[in-house]
Amino acid sequence: MRDTIPRVLIVGGGFGGLAAAKALKNTPANIVLIDRTNHHLFQPLLYQVATSVLTPGQIGSPIRGIVGEQQNTTVILGEVAGVDKDEKRVWLNVTDRRCVPLQYDFLILATGVTHSYFGHNEFAEFAPGLKSLADAVAIRNKILQAFEQAEAEEDPARHRDLLTFVLVGAGPTGVEMSAAIANLVNNTLKSEFRRINPASAQIILLDMAPRVLGSFSESISHAAKERLEKLGVEVRLGHGVDQIDEDGVIVAGERIFSKTVIWTAGVSPSPAGKWLEIGTDRAGRVRVEQNLSVPGHPEIFVVGDTASLDQDGKPLPGVAQVAMQQGRYAGKLIARRITGQPDPPPFRYFDKGNMAVVGKGFAVLQTGKLHISGFLAWLAWAAVHLQFLAQSNLRVSVFVQWVWTYLTGQRGSRLIVNHHGAESAKPAVEHAPAQLTTMSQ
Ligand SMILES: Cc1cc2nc3c(=O)[nH]c(=O)nc-3n(C[C@H](O)[C@H](O)[C@H](O)COP(=O)(O)OP(=O)(O)OC[C@H]3O[C@@H](n4cnc5c(N)ncnc54)[C@H](O)[C@@H]3O)c2cc1C
């Protein structure tokens, strides 16, 4: 039986969902926050886990811990599989049950995005993307494993493809990650290997666009590209990737041999539009009203990366600030409705600016008419990222790690951690000496 207190279901404990839950903190309502993982993830620093600077625990916080003090909020670990908007319920898959119905009075969908291989899903096997902690650890394993394999390889001819790292997509993630790999090879790893020279690694950043960081101004793109090249990253623009396979990539008809290809290009939204059977933009994001509700359903809101909203004739970007401001707005709007107050004015995004880091001590920053690059921008980048980490213990721990890495080049976690059942656990039966094979029979 339902109680009479309104129930607000929030799906997604990312930037948008968490901001919505916090905005409803003092509202007389039952807030149910559902996520398929048990943690909120600070995605802007995922590349630092993938390149061994930080550990997974430094950028992820248990959602239960973040809202633990919020008495009106229940956290559920589960995956929403659909929405029945007429009956006002969602279908939830939990550990031991599927399609459990869960009623709502208000629903906020903040389910983010996933990788998009632009119709080439076959690339996924050879070019992992970076979206979750598991992705970051898998990429970290792949990068570190390449150096180990090259060191163990006696034939120098085979070093070339092991020490070639290709990143597909020169947006903020591709730029930040390629610069971070350059720092890894030039600083941290440079004196630790005997048969190979890690600094000879080739790092190639590809994009079909004519410039890196396409969402920034031309002068910022230029500064970022110059910096990347100074760090030893080869930037190849203007051509899409034709093929990605176990030998590497083919771009503009040329084969680049590489054992480590990383996908830092497209994203596609969660299936929220399909669940709601409602209009989406070309990318599949749900078109929302100016108050972030879904047309015809004033009790359903979609926020963050999975929502599509134009402001001043331009679509809002898929960035954390948009998600947080939208989540906060939807939470406040619902709180006002529940407490019998009029709706707030339509949502308006306040752009605080964009930043990207390009290796040690260098970032680019664009806010209004201010476009700067270099050390000052990097300090601003560091301060903003520390401020937005979910919990104060993470702020302290990340700050200390950054100072340490900056001063010594040493990184937080360079472990290759294969999950059970991974390749390395397999016995090498094929090459076992004959007598051992005989003994075991
Ligand atoms: C590598 C990377 C780097 C980035 N760098 C920056 C940056 O520097 N600056 C910036 O502003 N933005 C950056 N972004 C973008 C930013 O992270 C997103 O814009 C932001 O996370 C969007 O917030 P959201 O709440 O919409 O989605 P998310 O934060 O992605 O949260 C979605 C949540 O929904 C959960 N979920 C999804 N589907 C379901 C389901 N069916 N059932 C239950 N739970 C579900 C997910 O587990 C997740 O917790 C980056 C993104 C990535 C991937």
Side-chain angles (χ1 to χ4, degrees):
M1 251 198 14
R2 294 284 312 281
D3 46 39
T4 50
I5 302 177
R7 181 186 283 168
V8 185
L9 279 194
I10 302 172
V11 187
F15 286 104
L18 209 52
K22 287 181 180 170
L24 285 155
K25 186 176 177 184
N26 298 316
T27 307
N30 281 329
I31 318 300
V32 180
L33 179 53
I34 303 167
D35 201 294
R36 62 185 173 196
T37 71
N38 82 332
H39 50 269
H40 167 77
L41 178 60
F42 193 79
Q43 291 171 21
L45 292 179
L46 263 177
Y47 83 95
Q48 294 211 352
V49 174
T51 52
S52 303
V53 178
L54 298 174
T55 65
Q58 285 174 305
I59 65 162
S61 317
I63 296 172
R64 202 172 285 291
I66 300 172
V67 294
E69 301 283 301
Q70 206 166 303
Q71 290 304 323
N72 65 352
T73 304
T74 305
V75 178
I76 293 192
L77 178 64
E79 178 153 28
V80 166
V83 178
D84 179 346
K85 53 189 198 295
D86 298 325
E87 295 295 327
K88 292 191 183 174
R89 60 189 172 188
V90 302
W91 303 109
L92 182 65
N93 295 338
V94 289
T95 316
D96 57 349
R97 280 169 300 152
R98 301 187 70 76
C99 285
V100 180
L102 200 55
Q103 295 288 144
Y104 62 79
D105 297 293
F106 294 95
L107 175 65
I108 300 178
L109 295 175
T111 37
V113 288
T114 180
H115 315 297
S116 166
Y117 287 86
F118 305 125
H120 286 284
N121 287 346
E122 71 277 10
F123 292 173
E125 185 186 347
F126 309 105
L130 185 62
K131 188 75 187 105
S132 65
L133 279 180
D135 293 339
V137 172
I139 291 175
R140 184 182 77 193
N141 285 346
K142 213 169 154 68
I143 294 171
L144 296 176
Q145 190 78 52
F147 289 101
E148 295 302 335
Q149 215 177 322
E151 180 82 336
E153 175 59 60
E154 281 160 13
D155 176 4
R158 292 210 55 227
H159 290 167
R160 180 197 51 176
D161 32 343
L162 286 167
L163 294 183
T164 300
F165 300 86
V166 177
L167 295 100
V168 184
T173 305
V175 165
E176 294 184 333
M177 182 99 141
S178 53
I181 298 175
N183 274 343
L184 175 73
V185 300
N186 293 325
N187 299 317
T188 312
L189 300 185
K190 71 170 186 219
S191 58
E192 295 184 358
F193 289 80
R194 301 295 168 259
R195 288 176 167 179
I196 58 162
N197 174 12
S200 69
Q202 215 186 346
I203 303 155
I204 303 172
L205 179 63
L206 304 175
D207 204 303
M208 66 192 299
R211 57 190 178 95
V212 303
L213 298 180
S215 58
F216 288 72
S217 69
E218 283 203 22
S219 62
I220 291 271
S221 294
H222 183 71
K225 182 166 177 276
E226 258 191 359
R227 175 69 180 179
L228 284 169
E229 286 168 345
K230 208 167 168 189
L231 291 171
V233 176
E234 192 181 325
V235 183
R236 296 197 198 178
L237 302 168
H239 295 285
V241 164
D242 303 317
Q243 174 73 17
I244 305 180
D245 55 30
E246 59 187 347
D247 293 325
V249 308
I250 298 179
V251 61
E254 185 196 338
R255 160 76 70 187
I256 302 172
F257 289 95
S258 167
K259 292 291 174 211
T260 313
V261 181
I262 302 165
W263 186 259
T264 51
V267 289
S268 69
S270 75
K274 289 191 186 124
W275 298 336
L276 297 171
E277 295 170 330
I278 210 144
T280 60
D281 64 9
R282 278 177 53 206
R285 301 183 303 163
V286 177
R287 283 198 188 283
V288 291
E289 305 277 14
Q290 293 299 317
N291 70 357
L292 311 182
S293 70
V294 162
H297 283 272
E299 75 287 1
I300 303 178
F301 298 82
V302 182
V303 303
D305 280 4
T306 213
S308 168
L309 181 68
D310 288 357
Q311 182 168 300
D312 304 330
K314 282 196 232 146
L316 291 177
V319 295
Q321 273 300 327
V322 171
M324 283 192 275
Q325 291 179 28
Q326 291 188 334
R328 207 174 298 133
Y329 176 93
K332 282 190 177 155
L333 186 151
I334 292 171
R336 291 176 72 89
R337 286 204 189 149
I338 289 173
T339 52
Q341 299 173 64
D343 279 7
F347 173 77
R348 196 153 175 90
Y349 171 55
F350 175 63
D351 186 359
K352 295 180 183 165
N354 282 327
M355 295 182 194
V357 68
V358 197
K360 186 177 170 182
F362 189 101
V364 292
L365 185 164
Q366 180 173 319
T367 171
K369 291 205 169 115
L370 181 68
H371 297 190
I372 56 168
S373 55
F375 188 69
L376 261 186
W378 182 75
L379 284 180
W381 172 90
V384 167
H385 282 68
L386 284 174
Q387 184 198 344
F388 283 108
L389 279 164
Q391 289 180 306
S392 38
N393 63 323
L394 300 187
R395 280 174 222 131
V396 174
S397 145
V398 169
F399 175 73
V400 170
Q401 183 62 57
W402 281 352
V403 173
W404 188 251
T405 303
Y406 190 91
L407 296 176
T408 67
Q410 289 171 12
R411 292 170 180 246
S413 178
R414 275 171 50 200
L415 310 181
I416 298 173
V417 187
N418 283 317
H419 295 292
H420 290 163
E423 283 294 299
S424 58
K426 286 185 193 159
V429 181
E430 279 173 42
H431 306 294
Q435 66 273 34
L436 274 185
T437 315
T438 315
M439 275 168 67
S440 64
Q441 283 173 343

